[in-house]
Amino acid sequence: MTAELRIPTSAGELVLRAVQLADDLGLLTDWMNDPETDRWWALAGPPETTAAHLAGQLDGDGRSRPVLALLDGEPTGYFELYRADLDPLAAHYPARPHDLGVHLLLAPAARGRGLGALLLDAIAARLLRDDPRCTRVLAEPDVRNTPSVRAFTAAGFTRAGDLDLPDKRAALMIRPRPES
């Protein structure tokens, strides 16, 4: 992904841009300290906690990219786009080469408006379009996170089963490349 990706949606222009620690740390720390976010992400704490989580990706090998989502210029969410087939997750499901994964954190102010499904749909479609080697995009939200599972379903993902991961029981959500 380039430093910035623009995707038109029915709710406005979605811009995905690489997280910039110096500019985004305060906002992302605020979001991580939201009680509903912390319930699923478990990253509440001082800015150093968020910075440490981000550093693993920003300084990593490129397998996971943290991006900020802006809808018509408003920060709306944080996504982690990652190579699921190269992630420890691959040991828990029948991975295929070039599987891509997505983690979603919807900004507290953006919740309850149907934006999760809209953003996930736009992002999954773009990932599949931009990487012809990828045959599917997947996610693994906690099975108890009903709003997240619902958003993935509304975005064209199918629940393929449940996985027992080290930190949660996850719903394996898969969106395949559309048949031509």
Side-chain angles (χ1 to χ4, degrees):
M1 185 178 97
T2 60
E4 190 173 278
L5 185 64
R6 296 178 178 276
I7 306 171
T9 76
S10 60
E13 182 181 52
L14 171 62
V15 174
L16 298 178
R17 70 160 175 77
V19 165
Q20 300 160 0
L21 198 54
D23 296 334
D24 301 328
L25 183 59
L27 175 67
L28 294 174
T29 298
D30 287 348
W31 289 354
M32 292 298 180
N33 280 285
D34 171 76
E36 186 63 17
T37 300
D38 184 50
R39 181 176 178 198
W40 309 115
W41 284 75
L43 288 170
E48 294 79 16
T49 301
T50 304
H53 176 75
L54 293 168
Q57 296 171 81
L58 294 171
D59 300 334
D61 61 7
R63 292 179 185 186
S64 183
R65 300 170 310 204
V67 297
L68 191 67
L70 301 108
L71 190 60
D72 284 341
E74 284 296 312
T76 307
Y78 165 75
F79 291 83
E80 294 173 348
L81 308 176
Y82 65 98
R83 283 284 305 270
D85 63 320
L86 302 177
D87 190 82
L89 173 66
H92 300 275
Y93 82 100
R96 293 182 189 166
H98 301 284
D99 278 352
L100 294 177
V102 60
H103 293 143
L104 159 68
L105 185 169
L106 201 57
R111 294 183 193 137
R113 300 174 19 206
L115 291 176
L118 181 120
L119 299 178
L120 288 167
D121 178 49
I123 291 168
R126 186 61 176 262
L127 290 173
L128 289 165
R129 188 193 91 184
D130 288 355
D131 188 347
R133 300 167 301 173
C134 175
T135 61
R136 59 194 185 166
V137 176
L138 57 93
E140 70 320 316
D142 191 297
V143 296
R144 299 167 297 159
N145 191 343
T146 306
S148 184
V149 172
R150 239 189 337 253
F152 279 103
T153 301
F157 288 73
T158 301
R159 188 169 181 169
D162 293 346
L163 306 174
D164 289 314
L165 301 178
D167 60 340
K168 66 184 174 185
R169 181 143 177 88
L172 178 63
M173 307 295 296
I174 297 176
R175 176 161 164 179
R177 176 179 299 285
E179 299 291 325
S180 328

